[in-house]
Amino acid sequence: LRRMLQNTEKRITSAIRQEAASAGRSVDEILIIASVIQREGSKTSEMPKIAGILYNRLRDGMRLQMDSTTDFLQKQIEPYTYRIDGLPAGPICSPGLAAIRAALAPADVDYLYFCNDAEANYYYAVTYEEHLANIEKAGLRSPDGTGVS
C-alpha cells in the first residue's frame, strides 16, 4: 500500500494538481473519477469519452450506474446495486496516467451511456433507448431482453 501511495504521489505532478484545481475538482475527486475510467475503459483511446459520460451524468444528477463501481461494492464492501448517488467514497483501483489524463480532459460528448462487446468495441448512446439497442448489438442481452445471449 505504501508503494502504491508513493507511486501515486510521484505521478501527481504540480501540473496535474493545477489542472484539477482549474477544473474545480480536488485531486482526490480526479483520482476517484480516473479509477472508474480505468476499470471501465479497456482502450486508452476510449477513456476521454468515458470521462465525458461520467461528467455528463454527474452534471445531470444521474447515478453513475457503472458496472465497475457496482462490482467493487458487491465484491469489496457489501451487496449494493446501482443505488449510490455521486462518486464512490474513494478510488476503486489505482488508475493509470491515461485514465487520470482523461479525468482531467474529458471528451466533449453528449453521450450518457456506453457498453462494449467482447472484442472491446465501444457503443455510445445519448438516450436509454439507444443504449438498450447497443446492448443488444454488443451481444450483452438476447433480443427478447432475457439476459446475456
Side-chain angles (χ1 to χ4, degrees), residues 17-104:
R17 291 179 190 285
Q18 289 173 343
E19 285 180 66
S22 294
R25 301 267 178 197
S26 69
V27 171
D28 285 342
E29 285 177 302
I30 293 297
L31 290 176
I32 292 167
I33 292 166
S35 72
V36 174
I37 296 165
Q38 183 72 50
R39 287 288 188 187
E40 292 288 340
S42 61
K43 292 181 177 178
T44 57
S45 62
E46 301 298 322
M47 289 181 177
K49 289 180 193 167
I50 295 168
I53 290 168
L54 287 170
Y55 283 114
N56 288 348
R57 288 181 178 188
L58 290 169
R59 177 200 66 214
D60 292 352
M62 294 176 66
R63 291 182 174 161
L64 292 185
Q65 296 182 310
M66 299 284 169
D67 289 343
S68 61
T69 58
T70 301
D71 291 346
F72 176 76
L73 289 170
Q74 288 175 338
K75 293 175 184 167
Q76 306 296 327
I77 308 297
E78 64 179 79
Y80 288 116
T81 56
Y82 289 148
R83 295 181 288 187
I84 309 285
D85 290 329
L87 295 172
I92 60 171
C93 70
S94 182
L97 197 52
I100 293 169
R101 285 259 143 248
L104 290 167

Side-chain angles (χ1 to χ4, degrees), residues 10 29 35 48 68 75 126 128 136 146-147:
K10 276 194 276 184
E29 285 177 302
S35 72
S68 61
K75 293 175 184 167
V126 174
Y128 187 66
E136 192 172 319
T146 59

